[in-house]
Amino acid sequence: MSVTRRTVLKGMAAAAATSVTGVPKALARERKKPPADAVGMLYDATRCIGCKACMVKCKEVNHLPPEPGTKVEGMYDAPDDLSGYTKNVIKLYREGDKVSYMKAQCMHCVDPACVSVCMISAFRKDKQGIVTYDPAQCVGCRYCMMACPFNIPKYQWDVAFPKIVKCELCRHRLAEGKLPGCVEACPREAVIFGRLEDLKADAKRRIAAEPGRYYPKVYGETDGGGTQVLYLSAAGIPFEKLGLPDIGDQPLPELSETLQHAVYQGFVAPIVLYGALGIVIYRNRKRQSGEEEGDK
Ligand code: SF4
Ligand code: SF4
Ligand code: SF4
């Protein structure tokens, strides 16, 4: 039997659920909520025409180089998937007569696993709930890549000082009063930006108004503890077909941190070890960086 990311996640959830039964209630972690002024995006797959204007704009506003991809040769920017140079990708799902586009990007989870595992807070959740990344803090351990249930953060494998790359909801543009690049570029309003609560209400309104058009669920409302990027799919196309996994409603950090607290209760050693390891890696990277600067 092949072991997929999904089977591992389900196994973790099952194991944690069993073990947590024996954990005193006081150790169980409280469910996190989005901040009061949380913002997010709503992608409506039924409106998307696959033009990829959002991909082009995403590269432009984030100063990311083109990637020719493996399926289209030449100078075209045609990444097959998210990568160290692509934060947003439009994918095509086709099965029989069922066809849909899918916009893959960071989900800005309400309780993000990437933030939970990042030992020195290179990943953080800001006051609007945007999951941010600070390359100056990052030690390159790539725990965030392993922890993310949506397989989003990517690494720049081919450079001396690599960064983790993922969508940060164009926070640099939001700070200037602009819309996220992909939202501004979309000719169909297939992806919109706004207050999370307004987006949820809008998504539900759309389903209620045209039940024959939509799959009857807003993905991200509760999935994995909730996400600030929400999805609507066409009738007859479940979200799993679009690559959005069925991970239940419990956030992964809630399971892992509850277990961690139960296992390490009263022991400081693992935390000290964890911190020390981070500092060593961080110093090494700084030193290496200084040596390379000196070589220039
Ligand atoms: S989708 Fe992954 S990278 Fe994005 S916030 Fe959630 S856990 Fe972090
Ligand atoms: S919000 Fe910005 S970084 Fe994120 S997918 Fe859209 S354009 Fe790209
Ligand atoms: S710009 Fe809009 S319609 Fe075009 S691919 Fe992106 S989300 Fe779809």
Side-chain angles (χ1 to χ4, degrees), residues 214-229:
Y214 290 103
Y215 188 79
K217 171 184 161 83
V218 181
Y219 191 96
E221 189 182 15
T222 56
D223 305 82
T227 60
Q228 290 181 216
V229 175

Side-chain angles (χ1 to χ4, degrees), residues 3-294:
V3 178
T4 63
R5 183 177 196 83
R6 205 172 140 219
T7 50
V8 170
L9 288 173
K10 285 207 159 180
M12 273 176 68
T18 313
S19 310
V20 165
T21 317
V23 173
K25 220 175 177 183
L27 291 176
R29 186 151 145 327
E30 268 185 31
R31 181 66 50 98
K32 291 194 177 171
K33 294 194 182 113
D37 46 2
V39 293
M41 299 208 292
L42 169 63
Y43 172 73
D44 183 338
T46 73
R47 292 191 181 190
C48 180
I49 53 171
C51 67
K52 301 190 177 184
C54 55
M55 285 176 62
V56 174
K57 191 73 178 183
C58 180
K59 289 260 168 148
E60 183 190 314
V61 302
N62 289 292
H63 311 291
L64 292 165
E67 291 176 287
T70 54
K71 292 183 190 130
V72 182
E73 288 180 11
M75 296 299 288
Y76 292 107
D77 179 37
D80 302 328
D81 209 339
L82 299 175
S83 75
Y85 302 98
T86 297
K87 297 183 175 191
N88 168 45
V89 74
I90 296 291
K91 297 182 179 181
L92 173 68
Y93 159 74
R94 193 200 307 261
E95 200 174 333
D97 61 347
K98 297 204 185 311
V99 177
S100 175
Y101 292 104
M102 163 65 189
K103 185 179 193 292
Q105 61 163 91
C106 174
M107 305 288 283
H108 296 277
C109 302
V110 171
D111 190 352
C114 56
V115 173
S116 170
V117 299
C118 186
M119 62 177 110
I120 47 171
S121 301
F123 270 93
R124 288 172 191 261
K125 205 159 164 68
D126 77 4
K127 61 182 191 326
Q128 292 185 297
I130 297 170
V131 177
T132 65
Y133 167 70
D134 180 357
Q137 301 293 325
C138 180
V139 295
C141 67
R142 304 189 295 279
Y143 286 171
C144 53
M145 291 173 68
M146 287 179 268
C148 173
F150 300 104
N151 194 18
I152 299 298
K154 301 295 175 204
Y155 197 59
Q156 295 176 331
W157 296 98
D158 58 339
V159 291
F161 301 107
K163 292 180 198 160
I164 294 287
V165 172
K166 71 156 202 84
C167 159
E168 293 181 73
L169 219 62
C170 279
R171 62 189 171 105
H172 60 299
R173 286 173 61 87
L174 298 181
E176 294 169 359
K178 295 177 184 163
L179 284 170
C182 55
V183 172
E184 188 181 278
C186 181
R188 299 268 303 163
E189 294 187 352
V191 58
I192 58 171
F193 170 84
R195 285 184 63 245
L196 181 59
E197 287 312 310
D198 295 343
L199 294 174
K200 277 184 196 169
D202 188 356
K204 287 179 186 171
R205 229 178 354 251
R206 291 186 200 188
I207 295 174
E210 292 180 88
R213 175 182 177 127
Y214 290 103
Y215 188 79
K217 171 184 161 83
V218 181
Y219 191 96
E221 189 182 15
T222 56
D223 305 82
T227 60
Q228 290 181 216
V229 175
L230 307 170
Y231 285 81
L232 287 174
S233 181
I237 305 183
F239 292 98
E240 279 175 272
K241 299 283 185 189
L242 302 184
L244 292 168
D246 175 10
I247 52 172
D249 290 347
Q250 191 167 22
L252 279 179
E254 198 176 276
L255 297 166
S256 57
E257 287 179 27
T258 300
L259 275 175
Q260 212 177 322
H261 293 162
V263 171
Y264 294 144
Q265 193 188 14
F267 290 89
V268 289
I271 297 161
V272 172
L273 191 67
Y274 204 40
L277 182 68
I279 290 163
V280 169
I281 298 170
Y282 183 66
R283 279 191 184 154
N284 283 348
R285 278 169 63 92
K286 278 251 169 195
R287 200 183 54 218
Q288 208 182 347
S289 155
E291 280 168 5
E292 291 227 348
E293 284 294 314

